[in-house]
Amino acid sequence: MKRFVYNIHKQSSDPTATSNEVVSFDDYDHLKAVSWIGENGGNIDVEIKTHDGKLSIVESVPLDYFKIGTGREEMILEQPISNNSIRIATSFITGAEVKGALVFTLEK
């Protein structure tokens, strides 16, 4: 088992924008869980998709949905992935800083 970090950093003055990025996980092909560690102003949504972007693993939700704390543990996914990668789509609205990381737990 191994944890991978996907950093997300946005300044409050950054323009409203979307992104769509493929994230690779070495030779790990089983996505066990994901969590958010950090702060945000509720102004960013995240969708986790298959590497080709055709299927959603987690539909677009506010980033706080992944946050650990106040009785919440990491989100269990137990999802096999192909090409040892996933696609992360974000939608950011200017106005508040976002600083932290999505932490993915994977195994071979």
Side-chain angles (χ1 to χ4, degrees):
M1 192 170 354
K2 185 173 179 180
R3 293 197 196 306
F4 293 85
V5 174
Y6 177 77
N7 291 308
I8 301 176
H9 297 283
K10 300 283 186 185
Q11 299 297 319
S12 61
S13 60
D14 286 351
T16 296
T18 59
S19 69
N20 195 337
E21 184 177 350
V22 173
V23 178
S24 296
F25 301 115
D26 299 335
D27 59 345
Y28 291 80
D29 62 0
H30 187 83
L31 179 58
K32 293 192 66 64
V34 62
S35 61
W36 166 252
I37 307 296
E39 297 297 325
N40 76 88
N43 58 330
I44 188 166
D45 292 343
V46 174
E47 182 174 8
I48 300 172
K49 302 178 180 184
T50 56
H51 80 283
D52 59 9
K54 293 183 179 180
L55 299 172
S56 287
I57 297 170
V58 177
E59 295 289 332
S60 184
V61 295
L63 191 55
D64 279 339
Y65 191 77
F66 299 103
K67 190 169 185 164
I68 291 180
T70 60
R72 293 192 67 166
E73 301 296 327
E74 57 187 347
M75 179 188 288
I76 305 299
L77 299 173
E78 294 297 346
Q79 177 77 38
I81 57 174
S82 57
N83 290 355
N84 302 330
S85 60
I86 59 170
R87 185 172 295 273
I88 299 175
T90 63
S91 178
F92 172 76
I93 299 172
T94 192
E97 184 177 11
V98 178
K99 187 174 183 179
L102 285 170
V103 179
F104 294 93
T105 304
L106 286 98
E107 68 181 8
K108 293 181 181 184

